[in-house]
Amino acid sequence: MPTKRSAIDALRKLEADRQALDERQRELEEKAALELGQLILGSGVEAFSRKGLRQASEMLGKLGEAEALRRLGSEPAASGRSGTPAGS
């Protein structure tokens, strides 16, 4: 006869799963930060102050890609983002 898992065991497992997911999220956020940093280096915005870069990033995020590019005088690529840098 199979034993039914107790609620206490289920809670322990849930907490362990949650901790593993939190760690995975931290790892992915760190990798994403490295990817974004590599995109920014050499673009000129690395000369912005931390505060200025944060403000500009937040404003661009609120506008969205197409509107931000339109306002900056550049048209978004017709095919959308490819996920790879040009020339790669």
Side-chain angles (χ1 to χ4, degrees):
M1 177 184 230
T3 60
K4 188 173 182 180
R5 234 172 132 169
S6 78
I8 294 170
D9 289 339
L11 284 172
R12 286 184 184 137
K13 170 133 179 37
L14 182 63
E15 181 59 29
D17 292 348
R18 200 174 276 141
Q19 288 175 355
L21 284 172
D22 287 346
E23 177 62 27
R24 180 71 175 141
Q25 181 176 353
R26 281 189 294 276
E27 290 169 4
L28 289 172
E29 286 172 349
E30 197 170 302
K31 287 180 181 181
L34 287 172
E35 288 178 26
L36 291 170
Q38 289 171 346
L39 288 171
I40 288 174
L41 286 175
S43 70
V45 297
E46 70 272 9
F48 285 27
S49 68
R50 288 178 70 127
K51 182 179 178 181
L53 183 57
R54 177 178 294 277
Q55 288 175 333
S57 298
E58 288 172 354
M59 291 172 72
L60 290 170
K62 288 177 184 175
L63 287 173
E65 182 177 2
E67 180 63 14
L69 290 173
R70 185 188 70 74
R71 289 190 186 190
L72 291 170
S74 176
E75 294 298 319
S79 63
R81 294 185 353 209
S82 66
T84 58
S88 292

